């Protein structure tokens, strides 16, 4: 007896009540039907027995009807013409196949024992793994019991026992493999979508921080140039030259941000902050030298925080003085670096969350840091960014 297996292991993504997915295109239906029907070749033994087995006409008619019903029921289970089938209905169908195979084998002889192989395969293909792991051995055990009850059936048992057991479990494995493959595809699509969302969020933060600072500086210098004309054309020309320089740098920054290569540095942002504050008429109190040897990710996020804070001072505060501090502190929890930007303007009160502060908070959280922003005394505003210099950085 040749080992019998079935290729029809298409299953639903969850393996629950949805026992399989129906082929959607005509080509898929034809290919699957032909592939399943190839394995019906092993029914040649009972068909031959019907034709030349020496049975009476009545036995042949009943045997033919029983075989036709068995094959139809088997194809319904394996091919899954219904889009959804309850597990209980599938179990009932498997029991009906088992009863049919038992009755036909006991009535017509040992050639019909091959039907139990199809029962095992159908249960492995149509039932969830937590159930089919019991039904496949059950169908195999029923095959063995029936073989001993049929005259000469024990001679066929060796050739049918392994195909029934291995064929059924092969279908269980194919079903689990296809279900896992579908879940992996869904997970991969979800990861790709999350990565795309994260990249869009990163681009939104970078463009906001880059263009917000540069455009604020361009606006200030344009206003200065306008006030200097026509009385001070040389000074106005200098402001226009600065506007051109800032615009070109902003274009370079945007291109580098889009390419994903740009990482702002504290020295560069401190120099830019001094230029922006001076242009706005704000006295800049900046550290002479920033903290050195900071991890690249930490320095980058603090540079973004400095840029956003200075941009807000220039835009909204109306301050006369802005103080920036970058300090390395030793605490009980370990080392940490703090960036503080405080002004004496009229921007006191609870901060209104916007794209800038939201983006900064997300950047700091990514390296284990925190952001706090609020009033500094009776007048003014203070932004404080803290980042631990440990495993989080």
């Amino acid at each position: 007896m040749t080992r019998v297996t079935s290729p029809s292991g298409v299953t639903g993504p969850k393996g629950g009540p949805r026992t399989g997915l129906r082929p959607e295109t005509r080509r898929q239906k034809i290919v699957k039907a032909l592939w399943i029907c190839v394995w019906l070749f092993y029914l040649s033994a009972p068909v031959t027995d019907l034709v030349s087995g020496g049975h009476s006409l009545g036995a042949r008619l009943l045997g033919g009807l029983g075989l036709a019903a068995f094959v139809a029921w088997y194809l319904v289970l394996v091919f899954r013409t219904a889009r959804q089938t309850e597990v209980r209905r599938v179990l009932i169908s498997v029991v009906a196949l088992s009863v049919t195979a038992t009755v036909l084998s006991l009535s017509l002889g040992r050639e019909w024992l091959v039907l139990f192989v199809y029962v095992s395969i159908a249960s492995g293909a149509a039932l969830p793994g937590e159930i089919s792991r019991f039904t496949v051995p059950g169908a195999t055990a029923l095959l063995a019991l029936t073989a001993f009850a049929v005259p000469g059936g024990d001679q066929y048992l060796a050739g049918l026992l392994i195909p029934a057991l291995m064929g059924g479990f092969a279908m269980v494995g194919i079903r689990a493999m296809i279900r896992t493959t579908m879940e992996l595809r869904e997970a991969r699509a979800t990861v790709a979508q999350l990565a795309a969302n994260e990249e869009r969020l990163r681009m939104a933060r970078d463009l906001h921080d880059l263009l917000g600072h540069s455009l604020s500086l361009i606006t200030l210098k344009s206003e200065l140039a306008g006030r200097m004309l026509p009385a001070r054309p040389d000074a106005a020309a200098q402001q226009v030259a600065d506007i051109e320089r800032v615009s070109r740098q902003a274009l370079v920054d945007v291109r580098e941000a889009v390419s994903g290569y740009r990482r702002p540095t504290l020295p560069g942002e401190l120099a830019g902050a001094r230029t922006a504050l001076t242009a706005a008429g704000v006295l800049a109190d900046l550290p002479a030298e920033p903290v050195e040897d900071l991890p690249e990710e930490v320095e980058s996020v603090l540079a973004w925080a400095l840029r956003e804070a200075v941009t807000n001072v220039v835009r909204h505060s109306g301050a006369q003085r802005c103080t920036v501090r970058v300090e390395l502190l030793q605490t009980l929890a370990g080392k940490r670096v703090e960036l503080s930007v405080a002004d004496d303007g009229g921007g006191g009160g609870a901060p209104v969350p916007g794209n800038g502060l939201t983006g900064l908070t997300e950047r700091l959280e990514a390296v284990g840091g925190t952001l706090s922003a609020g009033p500094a005394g009776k007048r003014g505003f203070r932004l404080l960014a803290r980042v631990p210099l440990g495993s989080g950085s």
Side-chain angles (χ1 to χ4, degrees), residues 11 14 21 35 42 61 107 122 167 180 182 185 219 254 260 267 272 296 298 300 318 343 355 389:
T11 64
K14 301 302 180 185
L21 297 178
W35 187 239
Y42 293 99
L61 290 176
S107 303
T180 302
M182 295 176 68
R185 288 177 179 173
T219 301
V254 170
E296 191 176 65
V298 174
S300 177
D343 65 71
N355 290 330
L389 296 179

Side-chain angles (χ1 to χ4, degrees), residues 66-67 69-74 77 88-104 115-116 118-120 122-123 127 142:
L67 181 60
F70 180 92
V71 172
W73 218 321
Y74 168 80
L77 279 181
R88 191 174 73 172
R89 293 179 59 186
V90 177
L91 276 173
I92 293 174
S93 298
V94 171
V95 171
L97 285 180
S98 302
V99 172
T100 304
T102 303
V103 171
L104 290 174
L115 297 183
F116 286 99
Y118 291 89
V119 173
S120 178
S123 65
L127 287 170
L142 183 59

Side-chain angles (χ1 to χ4, degrees), residues 17-300:
R18 186 175 174 85
T19 58
L21 297 178
R22 191 170 109 181
E24 297 180 355
T25 66
R26 182 179 179 183
R27 181 176 179 274
Q28 290 175 349
K29 294 178 180 179
I30 293 175
V31 170
K32 186 172 182 180
L34 290 176
W35 187 239
I36 292 175
C37 291
V38 164
W39 301 98
L40 297 180
F41 167 79
Y42 293 99
L43 292 176
S44 58
V47 171
T48 302
D49 182 65
L50 278 179
V51 174
S52 57
H55 301 293
S56 64
L57 180 60
R60 292 181 180 181
L61 290 176
L62 292 177
L65 291 175
L67 181 60
F70 180 92
V71 172
W73 218 321
Y74 168 80
L75 292 178
V76 168
L77 279 181
V78 178
F79 195 71
R80 299 178 189 86
T81 54
R83 289 198 175 271
Q84 284 190 336
T85 307
E86 295 180 358
V87 173
R88 191 174 73 172
R89 293 179 59 186
V90 177
L91 276 173
I92 293 174
S93 298
V94 171
V95 171
L97 285 180
S98 302
V99 172
T100 304
T102 303
V103 171
L104 290 174
S105 299
L106 293 175
S107 303
L108 299 176
R110 60 186 183 179
E111 288 80 5
W112 294 77
L113 292 172
V114 71
L115 297 183
F116 286 99
V117 177
Y118 291 89
V119 173
S120 178
I121 291 174
S123 65
L127 287 170
E130 59 270 17
I131 298 177
S132 57
R133 64 183 179 181
F134 298 109
T135 59
V136 170
T140 307
L142 183 59
L143 164 63
L145 293 176
T146 308
F148 285 114
V150 173
D154 55 339
Q155 300 176 9
Y156 278 29
L157 187 58
L160 292 174
L161 206 59
I162 294 179
L165 190 62
M166 299 303 295
F169 279 122
M171 294 310 304
V172 175
I174 291 173
R175 179 187 175 96
M177 180 183 66
I178 294 178
R179 182 174 63 251
T180 302
T181 301
M182 295 176 68
E183 291 174 351
L184 287 175
R185 288 177 179 173
E186 292 177 357
R188 185 171 60 184
T190 301
V191 170
Q193 183 63 38
L194 291 175
N197 291 340
E198 179 61 28
E199 183 63 16
R200 283 195 292 266
L201 184 60
R202 183 191 70 83
M203 289 300 303
R205 288 195 303 258
D206 289 356
L207 292 177
H208 173 272
D209 295 342
L210 288 168
L211 295 181
H213 176 79
S214 300
L215 293 177
S216 296
L217 188 55
I218 290 171
T219 301
L220 284 171
K221 289 186 170 292
S222 298
E223 293 175 352
L224 286 174
R227 288 198 297 266
M228 290 174 180
L229 288 174
R232 301 167 59 192
D234 293 340
Q238 181 61 45
Q239 297 298 327
V240 171
D242 289 343
I243 292 172
E244 180 182 1
R245 178 183 58 80
V246 173
S247 300
R248 291 183 183 277
Q249 185 60 44
L251 181 59
V252 172
D253 290 346
V254 170
R255 286 175 176 171
E256 290 179 349
V258 170
S259 301
Y261 298 129
R262 187 180 189 280
R263 283 188 180 271
T265 62
L266 275 176
E269 292 305 320
L270 284 170
R274 186 180 300 277
T275 301
L277 291 171
T278 301
V282 180
L283 179 61
D285 182 6
L286 306 177
E289 295 182 0
V291 178
E292 297 181 351
D293 298 327
L294 291 177
E296 191 176 65
E297 295 82 0
V298 174
E299 182 180 9
S300 177

